[in-house]
PDB file of all heavy atoms in Angstrom:
ATOM      1  N   GLU J   1     134.550 106.398 108.003  1.00 94.00           N
ATOM      2  CA  GLU J   1     134.021 107.568 107.209  1.00 94.00           C
ATOM      3  C   GLU J   1     135.137 108.203 106.397  1.00 94.00           C
ATOM      4  O   GLU J   1     134.806 108.834 105.409  1.00 94.00           O
ATOM      5  CB  GLU J   1     133.480 108.637 108.238  1.00 94.00           C
ATOM      6  CG  GLU J   1     132.256 108.297 108.866  1.00 94.00           C
ATOM      7  CD  GLU J   1     131.076 108.242 107.890  1.00 94.00           C
ATOM      8  OE1 GLU J   1     130.915 109.213 107.064  1.00 94.00           O
ATOM      9  OE2 GLU J   1     130.282 107.248 107.889  1.00 94.00           O
ATOM     10  N   CYS J   2     136.372 107.939 106.712  1.00 94.00           N
ATOM     11  CA  CYS J   2     137.498 108.517 105.985  1.00 94.00           C
ATOM     12  C   CYS J   2     138.597 107.512 105.935  1.00 94.00           C
ATOM     13  O   CYS J   2     138.981 106.921 106.942  1.00 94.00           O
ATOM     14  CB  CYS J   2     137.901 109.833 106.707  1.00 94.00           C
ATOM     15  SG  CYS J   2     139.364 110.603 105.978  1.00 94.00           S
ATOM     16  N   ALA J   3     139.218 107.398 104.704  1.00 94.00           N
ATOM     17  CA  ALA J   3     140.421 106.479 104.507  1.00 94.00           C
ATOM     18  C   ALA J   3     141.590 107.334 104.218  1.00 94.00           C
ATOM     19  O   ALA J   3     141.569 108.206 103.272  1.00 94.00           O
ATOM     20  CB  ALA J   3     140.136 105.494 103.404  1.00 94.00           C
ATOM     21  N   PRO J   4     142.692 107.137 104.865  1.00 94.00           N
ATOM     22  CA  PRO J   4     143.868 107.955 104.642  1.00 94.00           C
ATOM     23  C   PRO J   4     144.639 107.591 103.412  1.00 94.00           C
ATOM     24  O   PRO J   4     144.461 106.473 102.880  1.00 94.00           O
ATOM     25  CB  PRO J   4     144.748 107.723 105.867  1.00 94.00           C
ATOM     26  CG  PRO J   4     144.397 106.260 106.266  1.00 94.00           C
ATOM     27  CD  PRO J   4     142.941 106.131 105.976  1.00 94.00           C
ATOM     28  N   ALA J   5     145.491 108.496 102.906  1.00 93.00           N
ATOM     29  CA  ALA J   5     146.383 108.191 101.734  1.00 93.00           C
ATOM     30  C   ALA J   5     147.175 106.996 102.087  1.00 93.00           C
ATOM     31  O   ALA J   5     147.708 106.771 103.228  1.00 93.00           O
ATOM     32  CB  ALA J   5     147.250 109.431 101.456  1.00 93.00           C
ATOM     33  N   GLY J   6     147.366 106.118 101.039  1.00 92.00           N
ATOM     34  CA  GLY J   6     148.185 104.886 101.288  1.00 92.00           C
ATOM     35  C   GLY J   6     147.385 103.682 101.628  1.00 92.00           C
ATOM     36  O   GLY J   6     147.772 102.555 101.479  1.00 92.00           O
ATOM     37  N   ALA J   7     146.065 103.901 102.065  1.00 93.00           N
ATOM     38  CA  ALA J   7     145.193 102.786 102.472  1.00 93.00           C
ATOM     39  C   ALA J   7     144.699 102.040 101.237  1.00 93.00           C
ATOM     40  O   ALA J   7     144.592 102.628 100.184  1.00 93.00           O
ATOM     41  CB  ALA J   7     144.164 103.327 103.367  1.00 93.00           C
ATOM     42  N   LEU J   8     144.295 100.734 101.478  1.00 94.00           N
ATOM     43  CA  LEU J   8     143.557 100.064 100.442  1.00 94.00           C
ATOM     44  C   LEU J   8     142.074 100.069 100.897  1.00 94.00           C
ATOM     45  O   LEU J   8     141.695  99.370 101.794  1.00 94.00           O
ATOM     46  CB  LEU J   8     144.069  98.603 100.386  1.00 94.00           C
ATOM     47  CG  LEU J   8     143.587  97.787  99.209  1.00 94.00           C
ATOM     48  CD1 LEU J   8     144.129  98.259  97.945  1.00 94.00           C
ATOM     49  CD2 LEU J   8     144.070  96.262  99.387  1.00 94.00           C
ATOM     50  N   ALA J   9     141.349 100.873 100.147  1.00 94.00           N
ATOM     51  CA  ALA J   9     139.950 101.091 100.580  1.00 94.00           C
ATOM     52  C   ALA J   9     138.949 100.302  99.675  1.00 94.00           C
ATOM     53  O   ALA J   9     139.191 100.312  98.450  1.00 94.00           O
ATOM     54  CB  ALA J   9     139.560 102.564 100.491  1.00 94.00           C
ATOM     55  N   GLU J  10     137.980  99.740 100.217  1.00 93.00           N
ATOM     56  CA  GLU J  10     136.951  98.935  99.445  1.00 93.00           C
ATOM     57  C   GLU J  10     135.719  99.735  99.320  1.00 93.00           C
ATOM     58  O   GLU J  10     135.229 100.208 100.356  1.00 93.00           O
ATOM     59  CB  GLU J  10     136.732  97.566 100.114  1.00 93.00           C
ATOM     60  CG  GLU J  10     135.905  96.605  99.212  1.00 93.00           C
ATOM     61  CD  GLU J  10     135.737  95.255  99.855  1.00 93.00           C
ATOM     62  OE1 GLU J  10     136.748  94.814 100.461  1.00 93.00           O
ATOM     63  OE2 GLU J  10     134.622  94.741  99.719  1.00 93.00           O
ATOM     64  N   ILE J  11     135.160  99.912  98.113  1.00 93.00           N
ATOM     65  CA  ILE J  11     133.891 100.618  97.898  1.00 93.00           C
ATOM     66  C   ILE J  11     133.081  99.945  96.890  1.00 93.00           C
ATOM     67  O   ILE J  11     133.490  99.007  96.232  1.00 93.00           O
ATOM     68  CB  ILE J  11     134.242 102.065  97.370  1.00 93.00           C
ATOM     69  CG1 ILE J  11     134.793 102.049  95.983  1.00 93.00           C
ATOM     70  CG2 ILE J  11     135.103 102.872  98.262  1.00 93.00           C
ATOM     71  CD1 ILE J  11     134.786 103.292  95.245  1.00 93.00           C
ATOM     72  N   ASP J  12     131.753 100.357  96.929  1.00 92.00           N
ATOM     73  CA  ASP J  12     130.780  99.837  95.787  1.00 92.00           C
ATOM     74  C   ASP J  12     131.196 100.607  94.488  1.00 92.00           C
ATOM     75  O   ASP J  12     131.447 101.771  94.501  1.00 92.00           O
ATOM     76  CB  ASP J  12     129.421 100.205  96.111  1.00 92.00           C
ATOM     77  CG  ASP J  12     128.902  99.344  97.365  1.00 92.00           C
ATOM     78  OD1 ASP J  12     129.363  98.226  97.525  1.00 92.00           O
ATOM     79  OD2 ASP J  12     128.220  99.935  98.238  1.00 92.00           O
ATOM     80  N   VAL J  13     131.180  99.921  93.365  1.00 90.00           N
ATOM     81  CA  VAL J  13     131.418 100.598  92.031  1.00 90.00           C
ATOM     82  C   VAL J  13     130.376 100.209  91.093  1.00 90.00           C
ATOM     83  O   VAL J  13     129.643  99.178  91.205  1.00 90.00           O
ATOM     84  CB  VAL J  13     132.802 100.034  91.505  1.00 90.00           C
ATOM     85  CG1 VAL J  13     133.958 100.504  92.394  1.00 90.00           C
ATOM     86  CG2 VAL J  13     132.823  98.525  91.345  1.00 90.00           C
ATOM     87  N   PRO J  14     130.171 101.084  90.075  1.00 87.00           N
ATOM     88  CA  PRO J  14     129.141 100.822  89.045  1.00 87.00           C
ATOM     89  C   PRO J  14     129.487  99.655  88.078  1.00 87.00           C
ATOM     90  O   PRO J  14     130.709  99.348  88.027  1.00 87.00           O
ATOM     91  CB  PRO J  14     129.027 102.148  88.316  1.00 87.00           C
ATOM     92  CG  PRO J  14     130.355 102.775  88.484  1.00 87.00           C
ATOM     93  CD  PRO J  14     130.864 102.363  89.845  1.00 87.00           C
ATOM     94  N   PRO J  15     128.658  99.125  87.335  1.00 82.00           N
ATOM     95  CA  PRO J  15     128.931  98.068  86.354  1.00 82.00           C
ATOM     96  C   PRO J  15     129.892  98.576  85.323  1.00 82.00           C
ATOM     97  O   PRO J  15     129.982  99.734  85.005  1.00 82.00           O
ATOM     98  CB  PRO J  15     127.618  97.762  85.748  1.00 82.00           C
ATOM     99  CG  PRO J  15     126.567  98.279  86.699  1.00 82.00           C
ATOM    100  CD  PRO J  15     127.195  99.542  87.344  1.00 82.00           C
ATOM    101  N   GLY J  16     130.713  97.649  84.891  1.00 79.00           N
ATOM    102  CA  GLY J  16     131.669  97.938  83.743  1.00 79.00           C
ATOM    103  C   GLY J  16     133.011  98.312  84.233  1.00 79.00           C
ATOM    104  O   GLY J  16     133.950  98.439  83.364  1.00 79.00           O
ATOM    105  N   VAL J  17     133.309  98.625  85.474  1.00 84.00           N
ATOM    106  CA  VAL J  17     134.596  98.998  85.916  1.00 84.00           C
ATOM    107  C   VAL J  17     135.515  97.776  86.082  1.00 84.00           C
ATOM    108  O   VAL J  17     135.073  96.694  86.601  1.00 84.00           O
ATOM    109  CB  VAL J  17     134.505  99.667  87.303  1.00 84.00           C
ATOM    110  CG1 VAL J  17     135.947 100.029  87.919  1.00 84.00           C
ATOM    111  CG2 VAL J  17     133.716 100.996  87.247  1.00 84.00           C
ATOM    112  N   ARG J  18     136.752  97.898  85.506  1.00 83.00           N
ATOM    113  CA  ARG J  18     137.589  96.673  85.478  1.00 83.00           C
ATOM    114  C   ARG J  18     138.874  96.972  86.316  1.00 83.00           C
ATOM    115  O   ARG J  18     139.174  98.073  86.650  1.00 83.00           O
ATOM    116  CB  ARG J  18     137.937  96.398  84.084  1.00 83.00           C
ATOM    117  CG  ARG J  18     136.782  96.035  83.211  1.00 83.00           C
ATOM    118  CD  ARG J  18     137.191  95.762  81.756  1.00 83.00           C
ATOM    119  NE  ARG J  18     136.093  95.449  80.958  1.00 83.00           N
ATOM    120  CZ  ARG J  18     136.167  95.238  79.618  1.00 83.00           C
ATOM    121  NH1 ARG J  18     137.329  95.344  79.010  1.00 83.00           N
ATOM    122  NH2 ARG J  18     135.104  94.944  78.877  1.00 83.00           N
ATOM    123  N   ARG J  19     139.596  95.883  86.504  1.00 85.00           N
ATOM    124  CA  ARG J  19     140.859  95.944  87.272  1.00 85.00           C
ATOM    125  C   ARG J  19     141.781  96.918  86.673  1.00 85.00           C
ATOM    126  O   ARG J  19     141.929  97.047  85.444  1.00 85.00           O
ATOM    127  CB  ARG J  19     141.495  94.528  87.224  1.00 85.00           C
ATOM    128  CG  ARG J  19     142.694  94.324  88.160  1.00 85.00           C
ATOM    129  CD  ARG J  19     143.147  92.914  87.958  1.00 85.00           C
ATOM    130  NE  ARG J  19     144.313  92.706  88.779  1.00 85.00           N
ATOM    131  CZ  ARG J  19     144.271  92.313  90.079  1.00 85.00           C
ATOM    132  NH1 ARG J  19     143.075  92.085  90.668  1.00 85.00           N
ATOM    133  NH2 ARG J  19     145.407  92.072  90.790  1.00 85.00           N
ATOM    134  N   ASN J  20     142.552  97.651  87.537  1.00 86.00           N
ATOM    135  CA  ASN J  20     143.605  98.615  87.115  1.00 86.00           C
ATOM    136  C   ASN J  20     143.152  99.839  86.383  1.00 86.00           C
ATOM    137  O   ASN J  20     143.834 100.581  85.826  1.00 86.00           O
ATOM    138  CB  ASN J  20     144.646  97.904  86.181  1.00 86.00           C
ATOM    139  CG  ASN J  20     145.395  96.825  86.820  1.00 86.00           C
ATOM    140  OD1 ASN J  20     145.680  96.894  88.101  1.00 86.00           O
ATOM    141  ND2 ASN J  20     145.731  95.775  86.170  1.00 86.00           N
ATOM    142  N   ALA J  21     141.788 100.111  86.526  1.00 86.00           N
ATOM    143  CA  ALA J  21     141.208 101.382  85.937  1.00 86.00           C
ATOM    144  C   ALA J  21     141.760 102.598  86.840  1.00 86.00           C
ATOM    145  O   ALA J  21     141.574 102.515  88.089  1.00 86.00           O
ATOM    146  CB  ALA J  21     139.739 101.380  85.961  1.00 86.00           C
ATOM    147  N   PRO J  22     142.240 103.618  86.238  1.00 89.00           N
ATOM    148  CA  PRO J  22     142.593 104.885  87.041  1.00 89.00           C
ATOM    149  C   PRO J  22     141.360 105.484  87.693  1.00 89.00           C
ATOM    150  O   PRO J  22     140.308 105.428  87.035  1.00 89.00           O
ATOM    151  CB  PRO J  22     143.250 105.734  86.045  1.00 89.00           C
ATOM    152  CG  PRO J  22     143.591 104.896  84.848  1.00 89.00           C
ATOM    153  CD  PRO J  22     142.569 103.792  84.810  1.00 89.00           C
ATOM    154  N   VAL J  23     141.485 105.954  88.810  1.00 90.00           N
ATOM    155  CA  VAL J  23     140.296 106.620  89.530  1.00 90.00           C
ATOM    156  C   VAL J  23     140.688 108.021  89.862  1.00 90.00           C
ATOM    157  O   VAL J  23     141.693 108.367  90.446  1.00 90.00           O
ATOM    158  CB  VAL J  23     140.001 105.790  90.806  1.00 90.00           C
ATOM    159  CG1 VAL J  23     138.687 106.333  91.407  1.00 90.00           C
ATOM    160  CG2 VAL J  23     139.979 104.352  90.580  1.00 90.00           C
ATOM    161  N   PHE J  24     139.729 108.993  89.608  1.00 91.00           N
ATOM    162  CA  PHE J  24     139.908 110.410  89.875  1.00 91.00           C
ATOM    163  C   PHE J  24     138.771 110.820  90.773  1.00 91.00           C
ATOM    164  O   PHE J  24     137.606 110.452  90.637  1.00 91.00           O
ATOM    165  CB  PHE J  24     139.984 111.195  88.567  1.00 91.00           C
ATOM    166  CG  PHE J  24     141.136 110.916  87.695  1.00 91.00           C
ATOM    167  CD1 PHE J  24     141.091 109.929  86.777  1.00 91.00           C
ATOM    168  CD2 PHE J  24     142.294 111.671  87.851  1.00 91.00           C
ATOM    169  CE1 PHE J  24     142.105 109.610  85.910  1.00 91.00           C
ATOM    170  CE2 PHE J  24     143.392 111.308  87.038  1.00 91.00           C
ATOM    171  CZ  PHE J  24     143.305 110.299  86.141  1.00 91.00           C
ATOM    172  N   ARG J  25     139.187 111.761  91.671  1.00 91.00           N
ATOM    173  CA  ARG J  25     138.079 112.383  92.491  1.00 91.00           C
ATOM    174  C   ARG J  25     137.479 113.502  91.728  1.00 91.00           C
ATOM    175  O   ARG J  25     138.178 114.450  91.262  1.00 91.00           O
ATOM    176  CB  ARG J  25     138.609 112.817  93.867  1.00 91.00           C
ATOM    177  CG  ARG J  25     137.556 113.524  94.684  1.00 91.00           C
ATOM    178  CD  ARG J  25     137.906 113.586  96.218  1.00 91.00           C
ATOM    179  NE  ARG J  25     139.313 114.056  96.409  1.00 91.00           N
ATOM    180  CZ  ARG J  25     139.913 113.834  97.480  1.00 91.00           C
ATOM    181  NH1 ARG J  25     139.393 113.089  98.474  1.00 91.00           N
ATOM    182  NH2 ARG J  25     141.201 114.324  97.605  1.00 91.00           N
ATOM    183  N   THR J  26     136.129 113.497  91.598  1.00 91.00           N
ATOM    184  CA  THR J  26     135.483 114.664  90.838  1.00 91.00           C
ATOM    185  C   THR J  26     134.750 115.573  91.831  1.00 91.00           C
ATOM    186  O   THR J  26     134.344 116.656  91.435  1.00 91.00           O
ATOM    187  CB  THR J  26     134.441 113.998  89.873  1.00 91.00           C
ATOM    188  OG1 THR J  26     133.517 113.170  90.576  1.00 91.00           O
ATOM    189  CG2 THR J  26     135.148 113.303  88.798  1.00 91.00           C
ATOM    190  N   LEU J  27     134.538 115.114  93.069  1.00 92.00           N
ATOM    191  CA  LEU J  27     133.889 115.975  94.041  1.00 92.00           C
ATOM    192  C   LEU J  27     134.484 115.671  95.467  1.00 92.00           C
ATOM    193  O   LEU J  27     134.534 114.516  95.897  1.00 92.00           O
ATOM    194  CB  LEU J  27     132.334 115.783  94.121  1.00 92.00           C
ATOM    195  CG  LEU J  27     131.630 116.711  95.103  1.00 92.00           C
ATOM    196  CD1 LEU J  27     130.300 117.141  94.424  1.00 92.00           C
ATOM    197  CD2 LEU J  27     131.326 116.055  96.403  1.00 92.00           C
ATOM    198  N   ASP J  28     134.985 116.775  96.133  1.00 93.00           N
ATOM    199  CA  ASP J  28     135.568 116.645  97.450  1.00 93.00           C
ATOM    200  C   ASP J  28     134.540 117.197  98.384  1.00 93.00           C
ATOM    201  O   ASP J  28     134.303 118.317  98.574  1.00 93.00           O
ATOM    202  CB  ASP J  28     136.889 117.489  97.511  1.00 93.00           C
ATOM    203  CG  ASP J  28     137.645 117.283  98.792  1.00 93.00           C
ATOM    204  OD1 ASP J  28     137.006 117.108  99.823  1.00 93.00           O
ATOM    205  OD2 ASP J  28     138.920 117.331  98.676  1.00 93.00           O
ATOM    206  N   LYS J  29     133.956 116.229  99.198  1.00 92.00           N
ATOM    207  CA  LYS J  29     132.922 116.619 100.121  1.00 92.00           C
ATOM    208  C   LYS J  29     133.367 117.566 101.175  1.00 92.00           C
ATOM    209  O   LYS J  29     132.715 118.542 101.522  1.00 92.00           O
ATOM    210  CB  LYS J  29     132.311 115.345 100.768  1.00 92.00           C
ATOM    211  CG  LYS J  29     131.188 115.622 101.785  1.00 92.00           C
ATOM    212  CD  LYS J  29     130.718 114.340 102.450  1.00 92.00           C
ATOM    213  CE  LYS J  29     129.615 114.695 103.463  1.00 92.00           C
ATOM    214  NZ  LYS J  29     129.220 113.506 104.240  1.00 92.00           N
ATOM    215  N   LYS J  30     134.583 117.361 101.697  1.00 92.00           N
ATOM    216  CA  LYS J  30     135.101 118.109 102.746  1.00 92.00           C
ATOM    217  C   LYS J  30     135.302 119.562 102.326  1.00 92.00           C
ATOM    218  O   LYS J  30     135.017 120.575 102.953  1.00 92.00           O
ATOM    219  CB  LYS J  30     136.418 117.559 103.333  1.00 92.00           C
ATOM    220  CG  LYS J  30     137.046 118.381 104.422  1.00 92.00           C
ATOM    221  CD  LYS J  30     138.367 117.682 104.898  1.00 92.00           C
ATOM    222  CE  LYS J  30     138.986 118.481 106.036  1.00 92.00           C
ATOM    223  NZ  LYS J  30     140.300 117.831 106.450  1.00 92.00           N
ATOM    224  N   LEU J  31     135.898 119.679 101.085  1.00 92.00           N
ATOM    225  CA  LEU J  31     136.103 121.006 100.517  1.00 92.00           C
ATOM    226  C   LEU J  31     134.843 121.775 100.239  1.00 92.00           C
ATOM    227  O   LEU J  31     134.761 122.936 100.458  1.00 92.00           O
ATOM    228  CB  LEU J  31     136.931 120.875  99.152  1.00 92.00           C
ATOM    229  CG  LEU J  31     137.326 122.127  98.412  1.00 92.00           C
ATOM    230  CD1 LEU J  31     138.181 122.956  99.305  1.00 92.00           C
ATOM    231  CD2 LEU J  31     137.980 121.760  97.111  1.00 92.00           C
TER     232      LEU J  31
END
């Protein structure tokens, strides 16, 4: 349910995302 900082997490991604794309969090569920 939760992956800590430093982990290598695997997730589903939408079409068109490529290797080395920067990722930003836009919504923090816990917050």
Side-chain angles (χ1 to χ4, degrees):
E1 285 296 311
C2 175
L8 190 64
E10 189 177 322
I11 66 166
D12 293 320
V13 293
V17 175
R18 297 180 183 175
R19 186 181 181 88
N20 296 324
V23 189
F24 295 89
R25 177 160 48 203
T26 55
L27 184 140
D28 188 324
K29 182 184 177 185
K30 183 179 179 182
L31 182 62

